[in-house]
Amino acid sequence: MLRWRAFVPTVALLLAGWAQAAALAAPWNGEPQGWLQLLSLTLLVWLLRGVAQSADAGVGRALRRAAGLGWVYALAWLAGTFWWLFISMHTYGGLAAPLAVLAVLTLAGALALFYMLACVGFVRVLVQRPQAAWLISALVFALLWTLAELVRGRWLTGFPWGAIGYAHTDSWLAGYAPWLGVYGLGAVAAGVSGLVAGLLPLPGSSWGTAVAALRTRWPALAALVVALTLPLGLQALWPSFTSSTGTRTVALLQGNIPQNEKFLLSTGVVTALNWYGQELHRSSASLVVAPETAMPLLLRRLPEGYWDGLVERFASGDQAALIGVPLGSFQDGYTNSVLGLQPGLAAPYPYHKHHLVPFGEFVPPSFKWFVRLMNIPLGEFSRGALVQPSMAWQGQRYAPNICYEDLFGEELAARFDDPALAPTVLVNVSNIGWFGDGAAIDQHLQISRMRSLELERPMLRATNTGPTVIIDHHGRVTHSLQRATRGVLEGEVEGRSGTTPYTRWVGAWGLLPLWLLAVLVSGAVLWMGRRRR
């Protein structure tokens, strides 16, 4: 019996890690579940407190236990978040299933190391300073956790997919987004979890003891109340930081080309060219948007007259188009791009993807052997500039971003440096058919909604398989098209001008303020440990 009881925390953390993954986009409805994210992380902090309490049996043992619990939790969370990478590698890339599973677990396990170190640092603080105010302890946990999020989000180009802040696009904490962004919002969520765990009885303690301890932990209780109610007050005082620049009609195209046929000349290419060409010529909206690589061929390889016909179609009148297309040559390199067509342009408006996907769009050094195990076309692209002009059309400035570029709010905010040229509408074009009809689609929608909350800009999403939607400047989906279908989403979008506090500080300094705060706390943790010895 005792042997089995030793595994209970590990099993509980595996379930809690899965719960945090589910909180980003629930399997039952695709919606974020902020309460579930807080509950999940609170369990981790509570168990870490128990580990620190048992440090009398040996500090080294306690830290090793904290490392194990933190790593198991993060492994379950991260693998449960981006398990769908298996689909792209195995189903469409042709990688053997065992190798694809191993690749997903290896990536999740490597990224979990950051959170493992955060948990070790947190327990170390509790062990070295057991009398520290719980409010300070919760702050330490929040900033150590945020440091792990930042490292994951920027290390080796970054893979921030599934950051905990995305679970709160609909929660009461969403009011922090235009002030702090997703990482700051995640820090608040981690702090709330730390505070709640501190108000619960320790493993083996009674509720009576916990209630008695509340008399000494009233600052932590007060901080919890403030953290949960402050965003409501902020929203009441500043319901919006931006103003309207008018509404325009848009048509967003969703071709639903099967991913295993998308680049086959006899099937997917023919279907894509026929359907997208037809809808681009047919639409009457002010702006028509076709998704990432809607044209699955380089321009010079398109049927004769095809591209010239589209250019002529939008050379006059009162309509414009944004079309996803690969550009370049073997000699000059390739780019994953969007071209804009509108009356009065001597040449199409260009946008070239800046933040490329490792393995999908570029091969990291020493990993060509891994890519050779798969069969993924167009796997090596050149990088566009960080800041590129928006496409000005009928009083709006449309700023494209491609696929997972909308994970990087700090990079999108860099486009707001000049208010006179700042985007009024964000446009995401994606093809996430690589990952099936499942969690990736729902998760990506929450990511786009978070960018709208942070920057107070509407987001148009034109995708191959979904979600093709119109999101307003408060992160609300106003129009949507059923995913995994072929169709056109027609609606209106309201452009916005002005900037949020988040846009201003992250546009000027990037994530440096959060980095400095988190690193200073981490340094203090190490210093405290040395002082104790």
Side-chain angles (χ1 to χ4, degrees):
M1 177 65 71
L2 291 176
R3 185 178 301 174
W4 280 106
R5 288 180 64 183
F7 288 100
V8 170
T10 301
V11 173
L13 283 179
L14 286 171
L15 294 174
W18 175 86
Q20 178 144 291
L24 303 171
W28 52 89
N29 63 4
E31 297 298 324
Q33 309 292 328
W35 66 271
L36 185 59
Q37 185 279 314
L38 293 175
L39 181 64
S40 167
L41 199 56
T42 296
L43 176 60
L44 172 63
V45 182
W46 182 74
L47 288 173
L48 292 174
R49 289 183 64 214
V51 169
Q53 185 188 33
S54 65
D56 291 342
V59 174
R61 181 180 177 183
L63 296 182
R64 288 193 295 273
R65 183 64 173 154
L69 294 178
W71 187 80
V72 166
Y73 176 87
L75 174 68
W77 158 41
L78 296 172
T81 298
F82 48 70
W83 61 266
W84 35 260
L85 290 173
F86 170 87
I87 298 173
S88 63
M89 290 186 287
H90 173 63
T91 304
Y92 299 121
L95 187 65
L99 291 178
V101 170
L102 181 61
V104 172
L105 291 177
T106 299
L107 176 61
L111 297 177
L113 294 174
F114 303 134
Y115 301 94
M116 178 194 77
L117 293 174
C119 292
V120 170
F122 175 62
V123 169
R124 185 175 181 177
V125 169
L126 295 183
V127 170
Q128 305 291 0
R129 293 290 186 270
Q131 301 305 317
W134 187 247
L135 177 58
I136 301 301
S137 300
L139 177 63
V140 167
F141 176 78
L143 292 176
L144 287 173
W145 189 270
T146 302
L147 181 60
E149 294 266 63
L150 289 170
V151 174
R152 175 166 76 96
R154 301 305 306 182
W155 182 60
L156 296 179
T157 79
F159 190 60
W161 194 288
I164 64 173
Y166 291 115
H168 295 279
T169 51
D170 285 330
S171 85
W172 59 90
L173 297 182
Y176 285 114
W179 296 83
L180 303 177
V182 70
Y183 290 116
L185 195 161
V188 173
V192 166
S193 296
L195 290 170
V196 172
L199 300 174
L200 298 175
L202 287 167
S205 302
S206 67
W207 278 100
T209 303
V211 171
L214 288 179
R215 288 178 296 180
T216 61
R217 291 183 178 167
W218 65 265
L221 183 60
L224 178 61
V225 172
V226 170
L228 294 177
T229 58
L230 181 59
L232 301 178
L234 293 174
Q235 288 178 316
L237 291 173
W238 292 279
S240 181
F241 295 96
T242 59
S243 57
S244 175
T245 57
T247 60
R248 301 290 182 270
T249 58
V250 295
L252 310 179
L253 310 185
Q254 180 176 287
N256 196 40
I257 311 298
Q259 191 58 46
N260 57 352
E261 299 179 8
K262 183 172 175 63
F263 296 102
L264 296 180
L265 292 175
S266 60
T267 54
V269 171
V270 171
T271 302
L273 294 181
N274 287 340
W275 189 79
Y276 283 117
Q278 169 186 292
E279 296 303 329
L280 285 164
H281 280 278
R282 175 186 296 175
S283 177
S284 59
S286 170
L287 178 70
V288 191
V289 186
E292 178 184 15
T293 59
M295 306 290 106
L297 298 174
L298 297 168
L299 293 186
R300 67 176 182 276
R301 293 184 178 177
L302 291 173
E304 185 176 355
Y306 184 94
W307 184 253
D308 290 339
L310 288 176
V311 172
E312 183 179 357
R313 157 74 176 85
F314 291 98
S316 60
D318 56 358
Q319 293 179 265
L322 287 168
I323 305 169
V325 58
L327 298 176
S329 65
F330 180 79
Q331 294 78 16
D332 301 327
Y334 301 99
T335 59
N336 189 355
S337 302
V338 172
L339 291 182
L341 304 176
Q342 67 179 70
L345 288 183
Y349 158 85
Y351 173 79
H352 308 301
K353 188 175 184 182
H354 168 74
H355 208 116
L356 303 179
V357 180
F359 301 106
E361 293 174 321
F362 78 96
V363 182
S366 304
F367 278 94
K368 290 188 181 294
W369 62 272
F370 180 72
V371 174
R372 283 196 291 268
L373 295 175
M374 295 182 286
N375 180 31
I376 297 180
L378 298 175
E380 194 72 53
F381 286 92
S382 299
R383 191 184 306 273
L386 172 62
V387 178
Q388 301 176 54
S390 303
M391 185 180 81
W393 174 242
Q394 292 185 340
Q396 304 292 347
R397 292 181 293 275
Y398 296 96
N401 58 87
I402 300 176
C403 194
Y404 95 145
E405 280 192 304
D406 66 346
L407 265 80
F408 302 92
E410 65 278 9
E411 295 183 356
L412 297 187
R415 306 183 190 184
F416 289 72
D417 182 53
D418 184 349
L421 300 176
T424 60
V425 180
L426 302 174
V427 183
N428 178 268
V429 296
S430 292
N431 172 35
I432 51 177
W434 289 106
F435 311 116
D437 179 18
I441 289 179
D442 296 320
Q443 291 168 0
H444 202 185
L445 174 58
Q446 308 315 325
I447 289 166
S448 292
R449 292 181 61 204
M450 181 59 69
R451 297 294 85 80
S452 290
L453 285 168
E454 290 174 342
L455 306 172
E456 273 202 17
R457 288 296 187 274
M459 177 82 80
L460 305 177
R461 286 183 49 84
T463 70
N464 180 34
T465 56
T468 295
V469 298
I470 300 174
I471 304 170
D472 72 8
H473 62 289
H474 287 307
R476 298 172 298 210
V477 175
T478 60
H479 304 74
S480 63
L481 189 65
Q482 183 178 352
R483 71 190 196 186
T485 60
R486 184 170 298 158
V488 180
L489 177 64
E490 297 180 332
E492 290 190 340
V493 63
E494 180 187 52
R496 307 291 294 188
S497 64
T499 53
T500 64
Y502 169 79
T503 307
R504 290 193 287 273
W505 70 257
V506 84
W509 300 304
L511 296 172
L512 182 61
L514 285 178
W515 275 104
L516 288 176
L517 187 59
V519 168
L520 286 174
V521 169
S522 301
V525 168
L526 297 175
W527 178 78
M528 289 168 65
R530 282 197 290 267
R531 280 284 302 271
R532 185 71 175 182
R533 289 196 298 271

